[in-house]
Amino acid sequence: MASTQSYQLSDYLEKLPGTTFRKLYQQPSTAFAIFRRELPPLAKYFVQALLYMPDALLLSQLDIWVREDGKMARDRALSILRSLHIVQITPPSKDKPQEVQLTTNFKNSMRLALEGGGTHNSWGVPSNLPVDSSIDIPYLDRYARRKWEDILHYVVSSVALHGDGGGGGGSNTGPKTSVKDLLLAGRLVEPSRGIKSGITITQAGFAFLLQEANAQVWTLLLLWLEAADHTAGSLMDSIDMLCFLFMLASMELGRAYDTDSLTEPRRNMLPSLVDFGLIYIPSRDTRQYFPTRLATTLTSSFSSLRPLFSDPNSAPGGETGSLGLGLGSSLAPPIATASASSISGSKGSIIIETNYRMYAYTSSPLQIAVLALFTQLNMRFANMVTGRLTRDSIRRAIGYGITADQIISYLAAHAHEQMRATAASTGRPVLPPTVVDQIRLWQLENERMSSTGGFLFKDFDSTDEYQALCGYAEEVGVLDWKNDRKQHFFVSKIEQLRDYLKSRKKVE
Amino acid sequence: MPRAIRGVMIECEPAIKSIIIHLDSVNHDFIIEDCDETHLFVKENMMPLLKAKLEEHLKETYRPEEPLADSE
């Protein structure tokens, strides 16, 4: 969806200036986190090779490490490394060949991260105080899940699908006002009168719901960083906030950390992080804080996020099965591999039959509300809901801005174990191919005409005039359609052409 | 001096195009210029109405084969 703003860490980082990166890389945990999460394998390889080189390396030498057919991957890796200010490359000149080396701060921090040492406290200071034994990993998981579900619920309940407000149904009070404000600021929901909850969900909000948990967390955190940037006189510095997030990401789950060793601004961030469910602070003793799984998996690569909060007993082999959706869906970007309610602790629960019937073994109001976005639900029992994927229900979802790929990957990620087992034993894709195809066809059907706003140029005095202006439009890249016979053409933007016409008029 | 007209360029199949032309024939209030077999230039402010009308029209002509109602 080009229309909705994307909230991804890489996009956010790309917009930062070089000075910010120099500050960020003063922290070993930050340098290491960015290395871990943002770099493709080849870029990681370059960094590792360059890390202990005493001097700059000739750029031509770098080519020796890359196979003939890997030029594109090399260029991509280098451009990522440059945009993240991890390497610097000397500008091309006649008398000196180009050289490449790691930027000083990144190199030093990365070495510190690998070798240890330094007094940067970049990995957090564990608390020496006795730890309450009831705060264990399952406890933290439950806590984080509840916090996060509260937020998702708030977004879902803004869908006015049913009289009861989208099956909100829970007894929870919803997230804190600060979180609600963030969701509003990020346009995931919009204020609206006449609805009980006072808000309605936006296209971006639907996309948010179907994302996998880690992407959701980052979306919210980036909104938080942006809000801090935009608030005048804000006490929080978004660079320091980002560093702190990376620090949390490097911490150990289930361990208590020392609150007092944090700087004042960072201590001020703790309440917000508690609201998001990223950390837990016992109410009796605020000198300790515990990072939850939401925090410690922040910088993990996508594949390791699959089992986030999932049942430890579920067969790990089954997870890979969901990747083989078949039918070209492997080409689809992995937008929503594991998704919204993988966090709700449920194993796969959805069964799809070839006749488009859907059975979901769930009692989670959240998952039911998400399913209601794109299925026509018929019945609800104590532990399951039944429904059907129909042309109308899919078209309605597409009208909301949900894509067919998002729906398909949601269904695949949440497929019932029985579906996976059958698929594995027969060597077929997990979802019935007919259903997957049909969902895509329903989407295509909706896109019968594409429209572009812009300007149509006509009534030219001469062929030369037409060709000159049309040629210019093509050159500046605004030409969309032309018809040489009729001497008409259509452009998406007019400003440059207007200037061009004006300047020509002057000449005449 | 050439003229520049503000509007929306629609690209669609010839079949859809003929439906739009049919819709336009009632009041002639959608189309500014019939460009070629697959392109139509239409008024910007009429786009939402045109989309709705087209949708309505397609609903009439196209009956999806919905499976039988649930027997549960």
Side-chain angles (χ1 to χ4, degrees), chain A residues 157-235:
Chain A
S157 66
S158 59
V159 186
L161 285 175
H162 308 295
D164 65 354
S171 57
N172 51 59
T173 50
K176 291 273 173 56
T177 323
S178 57
V179 180
K180 290 182 187 171
D181 288 345
L182 278 183
L183 295 172
L184 275 170
R187 304 196 68 75
L188 297 180
V189 294
E190 279 176 335
S192 154
R193 275 171 218 174
I195 295 174
K196 201 170 56 179
S197 57
I199 50 155
T200 51
I201 192 165
T202 63
Q203 282 198 4
F206 282 116
F208 173 75
L209 280 180
L210 293 180
Q211 275 173 338
E212 41 102 15
N214 178 266
Q216 289 175 338
V217 176
W218 270 114
T219 303
L220 196 66
L221 290 176
L222 293 176
L223 287 173
W224 186 49
L225 294 180
E226 263 177 23
D229 276 341
H230 292 161
T231 320
S234 164
L235 293 170

Side-chain angles (χ1 to χ4, degrees), chain A residues 47-278:
Chain A
V47 170
Q48 281 174 345
L50 290 170
L51 189 58
Y52 286 100
M53 274 197 194
D55 302 305
L57 179 80
L58 287 178
L59 195 59
S60 51
Q61 296 267 313
L62 200 80
D63 289 347
I64 301 172
W65 301 341
V66 185
R67 274 207 312 263
E68 268 307 299
D69 54 347
K71 287 273 181 282
M72 257 178 52
R74 184 202 72 147
D75 289 345
R76 218 186 120 238
L78 280 180
S79 90
I80 290 175
L81 289 173
R82 278 175 90 166
S83 72
L84 293 173
H85 297 262
I86 289 173
V87 300
Q88 51 195 29
I89 299 174
T90 53
S93 71
K94 268 182 227 139
D95 24 84
K96 225 177 142 213
Q98 279 186 286
E99 291 180 336
V100 55
Q101 61 179 327
L102 294 181
T103 51
T104 323
N105 282 2
F106 185 86
K107 186 168 69 188
N108 293 342
S109 289
M110 198 61 193
R111 285 182 180 178
L112 268 180
L114 290 180
E115 295 164 7
T119 51
H120 42 77
N121 282 348
S122 170
W123 312 101
V125 180
S127 170
N128 294 323
L129 300 162
V131 178
D132 188 346
S133 63
S134 68
I135 305 171
D136 52 3
I137 293 178
Y139 177 85
L140 289 173
D141 277 354
R142 276 200 305 278
Y143 169 82
R145 189 184 304 153
R146 202 180 61 232
K147 280 277 182 189
W148 197 251
E149 281 201 347
D150 267 1
I151 296 174
L152 294 182
H153 255 299
Y154 177 72
V155 178
V156 171
S157 66
S158 59
V159 186
L161 285 175
H162 308 295
D164 65 354
S171 57
N172 51 59
T173 50
K176 291 273 173 56
T177 323
S178 57
V179 180
K180 290 182 187 171
D181 288 345
L182 278 183
L183 295 172
L184 275 170
R187 304 196 68 75
L188 297 180
V189 294
E190 279 176 335
S192 154
R193 275 171 218 174
I195 295 174
K196 201 170 56 179
S197 57
I199 50 155
T200 51
I201 192 165
T202 63
Q203 282 198 4
F206 282 116
F208 173 75
L209 280 180
L210 293 180
Q211 275 173 338
E212 41 102 15
N214 178 266
Q216 289 175 338
V217 176
W218 270 114
T219 303
L220 196 66
L221 290 176
L222 293 176
L223 287 173
W224 186 49
L225 294 180
E226 263 177 23
D229 276 341
H230 292 161
T231 320
S234 164
L235 293 170
M236 288 188 243
D237 166 24
S238 62
I239 303 171
D240 191 40
M241 287 161 84
L242 197 56
C243 275
F244 189 37
L245 292 177
F246 284 134
M247 172 176 147
L248 287 175
S250 65
M251 289 179 172
E252 202 182 318
L253 182 66
R255 209 162 165 178
Y257 288 85
D258 188 12
T259 316
D260 293 326
S261 66
L262 293 173
T263 58
E264 173 84 34
R266 290 194 176 179
R267 268 205 299 277
N268 291 335
M269 292 175 208
L270 294 179
S272 296
L273 293 169
V274 169
D275 291 345
F276 301 153
L278 261 68

Side-chain angles (χ1 to χ4, degrees), chain A residues 378 388 395 458 461 486, chain B residues 1 9 33-34 55 70:
Chain A
N378 291 337
R388 185 195 286 280
R395 284 172 67 117
K458 58 191 268 190
D461 296 331
K486 282 185 171 177
Chain B
M1 197 56 194
M9 183 64 87
E33 185 85 37
D34 187 344
E55 189 84 342
D70 273 341

